[in-house]
Amino acid sequence: MSRFKSSFLLFLLLFSAYESIASEDIVQVSEEFTEALLLRPLPDRKVLAHFHFQSTAPPTRTYGRHHHLFPKSIYQLVHKFKVREMELSFTQGRWNYERWGGYDPISNSNAKPPGVELWADFDVPQHQVEDSWKNLTHALSGLFCASINFLEQSTSYSAPQWSFQSVSGKLRYGTLPREAVCTENLTPWLKLLPCRDKAGLSSLMDRPSIYRSYYHSQRLHLRSDEFDTSKTSTGIVLEQTLTVVLQPNTFSGKTSQLSWSLSSLFGRKVGGKCSLSNSSNVYVQFEQSLVSKVKELREKRESSKNEILMHEGFQNNPLFELSLPPKRIIKEVEKLTKEGSILYEFSVEDYDESEPFDLGLSWKVPVFWSCQQAPLRTSRFLLGSGNERGAIAISMKSTESNNVERSGRDDKECWLRVGIFQVVPWYVKVYYHTLEVFLDGEPQHTVDNVEKIHVSPSEDKVSPGVMEIVLRLPCSVSTAALTLEFDKGFLHIDEYPPDANQGFDIPSAVVRFNDFLTNISFDDNSLKRVPILSKLEENIPVLSYTEVLLVPLTTPDFSMPYNVITITCTIFALYFGSLLNALRRRVGEEERLLREKAAKKMGPLTLMLSKLSAKLRRKQWEPPKPSSSRKSVINKKLILKVLLVAGIAVAWQYYFQ
């Protein structure tokens, strides 16, 4: 019997140990962290650096609430406020759609408006959405050391209906165009990474190098299906990106482009991968227009047999030279007659502190190319003058991308659908019935060109104005414009910001082209397991942001109260000061006369003895003081005079105010 018990206990111990080991293996496999860096030369002699970090947490009901890699603060936000999806971005500068592109997945997802942009979709009842949004803004404000809590006010955020493709209708959107971005926002963002900025690709994030860039945007995107009861739930996926446009400091001689390396761009080298990351790769991307340039260069050369194309090899490239051999070359699937883009992949796992990773690119010949742009180049500006009325105009001009896409179609049946989402503060009172549409400079009927529209007028000090519209434009259009008239409201003196004379901001409008999708298709299906490459293969509608408008409002002269207070205080000081000096001088004269009279009443012998006594005591002789009764009478008269003058001054002040 004892043997049976001992064997049974041994079996239980082995079984429990096996279960613990198996559970640990599952957690290690399911909880992942990856890091990647994508570098891309730009036509205007700059370099785009896109950092991509992704952390994945398994479902709580399967693996529990404890994680090894996923940040605890983000996990608590998801479960506390029932967040289904969220995106937060901090941006400084404006993305140049004309020179840096607007049709590729990187610019489409990471070209953000200046300041702070936040939108979140909640999985709560409809009556709890507002409270969840306010609590979320306060939590993010403390987490990222920013003024996101100002978005809690109902005048600072809106509830889009269909612009952000939210099926639940529980999405909230808000922006702070004037929010400054600094290291206080980047440091908490880096603390969400397992290795922070101590190891891996994040060690390249030198603060002076990043903040002297022409454009930088740090983004945090969160997707969660924690509250989904299906068995296919993936848990929480946290995506952190940092997009920077840098100017190389090196000189490349006669070539138009500047040669660069990681050390010249960031002032640092990569001393190896983050020990907690599953993969750590660096990619160098060349756009399809640049690939076409290489092909033209090869065709012009007579010795093309000895040349190797960019997608055929690494050495003897006629256009550029890389300082390190790539791990592999990833080609985009060519579409019709187009040359696809190419990515060179480099692994950081084989490098360490003794041999750091420092990738460099040097150009051999001058080269010029242009980035692929959105179908329409959008800009927004103000019309009118004065502090009473005005108009908002959104202008759209056709680009080469639109010409390519519409080639081969029948223009009579070809339509281009453009969605516009615009939020206007309540103090800019927009009259939506004044909407006008112009095509190639000619006014059109709005019924013919507006497919659908949703308008939510603003309410004073309660909610902003929201306009969601889908325009249906013919593909043959060259220019299109949309105008809206507005009146400028008045604010209470306490509602003006400290820099009110600078003007008031109207957030950027979001322009979406639903008929145009940005994606890159690769010839290897196994690349979908790499997070940054899977993001490049997603089918996302082309998206762009307009400029932030600066509206001057009627502003009071805030210096007038200061001037009035200063002048009034000066007058009162001079008046009362001179009055008190005159009264004090009068009292002093009366006291001196009384002392002289008292000295005359004293006998010569008494006067001589008092002077001799003062001399022996080595003190200055003073005449005898008058009697206390006389002094009290003088003090009473002085007090009465002061009270009378003060009463007259108070009455004068009250009467004239």
Side-chain angles (χ1 to χ4, degrees):
M1 189 68 179
S2 59
R3 291 182 178 178
F4 177 78
K5 288 183 178 180
S6 60
S7 60
F8 182 74
L9 291 174
L10 181 61
F11 174 78
L12 290 178
L13 289 174
L14 293 174
F15 183 77
S16 61
Y18 175 78
E19 277 191 338
S20 62
I21 294 173
S23 61
E24 289 179 1
D25 291 338
I26 290 174
V27 172
Q28 290 178 0
V29 171
S30 59
E31 192 174 1
E32 295 181 354
F33 171 73
T34 60
E35 58 179 359
L37 170 62
L38 188 143
L39 300 170
R40 188 175 70 192
L42 298 175
D44 58 347
R45 302 162 64 93
K46 297 181 180 62
V47 179
L48 170 67
H50 175 70
F51 294 87
H52 185 276
F53 307 94
Q54 182 169 307
S55 303
T56 305
T60 303
R61 65 176 181 274
T62 307
Y63 297 95
R65 297 178 295 174
H66 302 286
H67 305 285
H68 301 284
L69 301 177
F70 198 83
K72 183 179 180 181
S73 56
I74 300 299
Y75 177 82
Q76 291 176 343
L77 284 179
V78 173
H79 283 264
K80 180 68 175 178
F81 308 118
K82 306 292 184 182
V83 180
R84 180 184 289 112
E85 190 173 3
M86 182 189 74
E87 183 171 293
L88 173 65
S89 63
F90 297 87
T91 307
Q92 180 174 323
R94 186 174 182 271
W95 183 267
N96 193 333
Y97 288 95
E98 183 177 358
R99 296 185 177 181
W100 303 340
Y103 202 90
D104 59 285
I106 298 296
S107 61
N108 187 61
S109 302
N110 299 276
K112 294 296 179 180
V116 171
E117 182 191 41
L118 172 66
W119 60 265
D121 193 8
F122 300 94
D123 192 4
V124 296
Q126 193 68 38
H127 65 278
Q128 297 180 4
V129 176
E130 306 298 330
D131 294 336
S132 299
W133 169 263
K134 294 179 181 179
N135 293 331
L136 178 64
T137 55
H138 278 268
L140 292 174
S141 179
L143 182 61
F144 291 99
C145 217
S147 303
I148 309 176
N149 57 312
F150 284 103
L151 291 175
E152 71 160 350
Q153 304 174 2
S154 58
T155 57
S156 303
Y157 69 91
S158 60
Q161 296 294 324
W162 35 264
S163 295
F164 286 84
Q165 300 177 356
S166 175
V167 181
S168 62
K170 301 171 184 177
L171 186 141
R172 296 295 179 267
Y173 174 88
T175 57
L176 296 173
R178 201 169 292 189
E179 179 70 14
V181 184
C182 61
T183 57
E184 293 181 355
N185 310 125
L186 180 61
T187 301
W189 185 85
L190 289 172
K191 289 183 178 180
L192 300 177
L193 302 175
C195 295
R196 299 191 178 183
D197 58 345
K198 306 301 180 183
L201 296 176
S202 58
S203 61
L204 291 173
M205 297 181 185
D206 182 42
R207 306 303 193 274
S209 301
I210 292 176
Y211 287 98
R212 71 165 176 258
S213 60
Y214 289 84
Y215 171 89
H216 77 270
S217 176
Q218 62 183 65
R219 186 175 67 97
L220 184 144
H221 188 268
L222 176 70
R223 295 192 310 273
S224 170
D225 54 1
E226 282 280 294
F227 315 104
D228 189 3
T229 57
S230 63
K231 296 182 180 180
T232 59
S233 60
T234 58
I236 308 174
V237 179
L238 176 64
E239 179 187 355
Q240 295 177 248
T241 62
L242 176 65
T243 306
V244 188
V245 176
L246 299 168
Q247 176 72 54
N249 297 325
T250 56
F251 181 71
S252 59
K254 299 180 180 180
T255 60
S256 60
Q257 292 292 325
L258 297 177
S259 301
W260 50 265
S261 63
L262 291 180
S263 57
S264 64
L265 292 176
F266 301 99
R268 297 180 180 179
K269 301 178 182 179
V270 183
K273 59 169 287 189
C274 174
S275 59
L276 299 175
S277 64
N278 293 61
S279 63
S280 180
N281 299 323
V282 176
Y283 298 90
V284 179
Q285 182 186 18
F286 296 94
E287 299 173 330
Q288 61 180 16
S289 56
L290 187 57
V291 176
S292 301
K293 291 287 183 181
V294 178
K295 186 177 180 180
E296 294 176 2
L297 181 63
R298 179 174 180 257
E299 292 176 352
K300 290 181 181 179
R301 293 192 175 187
E302 297 179 355
S303 59
S304 59
K305 297 181 180 180
N306 298 327
E307 300 290 343
I308 300 178
L309 261 180
M310 187 184 307
H311 58 274
E312 294 176 352
F314 166 71
Q315 300 177 348
N316 300 327
N317 192 290
L319 187 61
F320 64 88
E321 181 180 358
L322 295 171
S323 61
L324 298 174
K327 181 181 178 181
R328 59 175 171 175
I329 301 175
I330 304 172
K331 299 184 297 181
E332 181 185 1
V333 177
E334 299 181 1
K335 302 176 181 179
L336 300 178
T337 59
K338 294 182 180 179
E339 292 287 343
S341 62
I342 292 177
L343 284 91
Y344 286 85
E345 183 182 79
F346 303 85
S347 179
V348 191
E349 298 179 0
D350 301 332
Y351 297 86
D352 52 14
E353 293 292 342
S354 60
E355 186 183 357
F357 178 81
D358 188 16
L359 176 65
L361 173 67
S362 59
W363 299 91
K364 296 181 179 180
V365 295
V367 58
F368 301 92
W369 76 94
S370 60
C371 295
Q372 190 175 5
Q373 303 176 20
L376 296 176
R377 188 185 307 158
T378 309
S379 61
R380 189 176 61 162
F381 51 90
L382 293 176
L383 298 175
S385 60
N387 292 329
E388 186 178 1
R389 295 183 179 88
I392 300 175
I394 299 178
S395 175
M396 293 170 282
K397 295 182 179 180
S398 180
T399 60
E400 296 180 358
S401 299
N402 189 20
N403 296 330
V404 173
E405 292 292 337
R406 74 191 184 197
S407 61
R409 297 183 183 179
D410 188 1
D411 291 342
K412 296 181 180 179
E413 299 180 356
C414 178
W415 296 96
L416 179 63
R417 290 173 174 81
V418 182
I420 300 175
F421 171 74
Q422 182 171 255
V423 179
V424 181
W426 65 267
Y427 43 79
V428 178
K429 306 179 185 300
V430 179
Y431 298 109
Y432 294 99
H433 68 280
T434 62
L435 174 66
E436 292 184 351
V437 179
F438 298 87
L439 298 181
D440 295 331
E442 299 294 333
Q444 306 291 327
H445 294 287
T446 56
V447 180
D448 299 335
N449 298 103
V450 176
E451 186 172 301
K452 62 178 180 178
I453 184 173
H454 172 261
V455 171
S456 177
S458 62
E459 188 175 352
D460 290 354
K461 303 180 182 181
V462 175
S463 62
V466 180
M467 182 188 71
E468 299 175 271
I469 185 173
V470 174
L471 297 177
R472 187 177 58 180
L473 307 176
C475 292
S476 59
V477 67
S478 299
T479 61
L482 183 147
T483 61
L484 286 167
E485 297 180 4
F486 65 86
D487 283 348
K488 300 179 182 180
F490 295 93
L491 281 75
H492 191 267
I493 190 170
D494 296 334
E495 297 174 344
Y496 285 94
D499 52 351
N501 291 306
Q502 179 182 350
F504 295 80
D505 296 314
I506 296 181
S508 301
V510 184
V511 181
R512 189 184 301 270
F513 304 93
N514 294 323
D515 297 336
F516 296 82
L517 302 178
T518 62
N519 69 330
I520 298 177
S521 300
F522 300 111
D523 54 358
D524 190 356
N525 293 328
S526 63
L527 299 176
K528 294 182 179 179
R529 294 194 297 267
V530 182
I532 188 172
L533 299 181
S534 64
K535 296 296 295 183
L536 296 178
E537 288 187 310
E538 288 185 356
N539 293 324
I540 304 175
V542 177
L543 190 71
S544 61
Y545 291 87
T546 63
E547 301 87 348
V548 176
L549 294 181
L550 194 63
V551 181
L553 296 182
T554 303
T555 306
D557 188 359
F558 294 100
S559 63
M560 284 305 297
Y562 172 78
N563 297 335
V564 171
I565 293 172
T566 304
I567 293 174
T568 305
C569 292
T570 304
I571 293 174
F572 272 91
L574 293 174
Y575 178 74
F576 282 104
S578 59
L579 179 62
L580 291 175
N581 288 333
L583 292 175
R584 187 175 180 181
R585 192 180 304 111
R586 177 74 178 274
V587 171
E589 292 178 356
E590 291 182 355
E591 289 182 352
R592 184 176 57 80
L593 292 174
L594 290 175
R595 288 178 181 177
E596 290 178 356
K597 289 181 180 180
K600 290 179 180 179
K601 291 181 180 180
M602 295 176 62
L605 182 59
T606 307
L607 182 61
M608 183 180 62
L609 291 175
S610 62
K611 290 182 179 180
L612 181 60
S613 176
K615 189 174 183 180
L616 293 174
R617 288 182 296 172
R618 295 181 180 179
K619 294 183 179 180
Q620 187 178 1
W621 178 81
E622 295 181 358
K625 296 181 180 180
S627 60
S628 59
S629 60
R630 182 66 178 173
K631 186 176 181 181
S632 63
V633 172
I634 295 174
N635 291 337
K636 289 180 180 179
K637 290 182 179 180
L638 178 62
I639 293 173
L640 288 175
K641 291 180 180 178
V642 172
L643 291 176
L644 179 61
V645 172
I648 294 173
V650 171
W652 178 82
Q653 186 76 8
Y654 177 78
Y655 176 76
F656 284 97
Q657 284 187 353

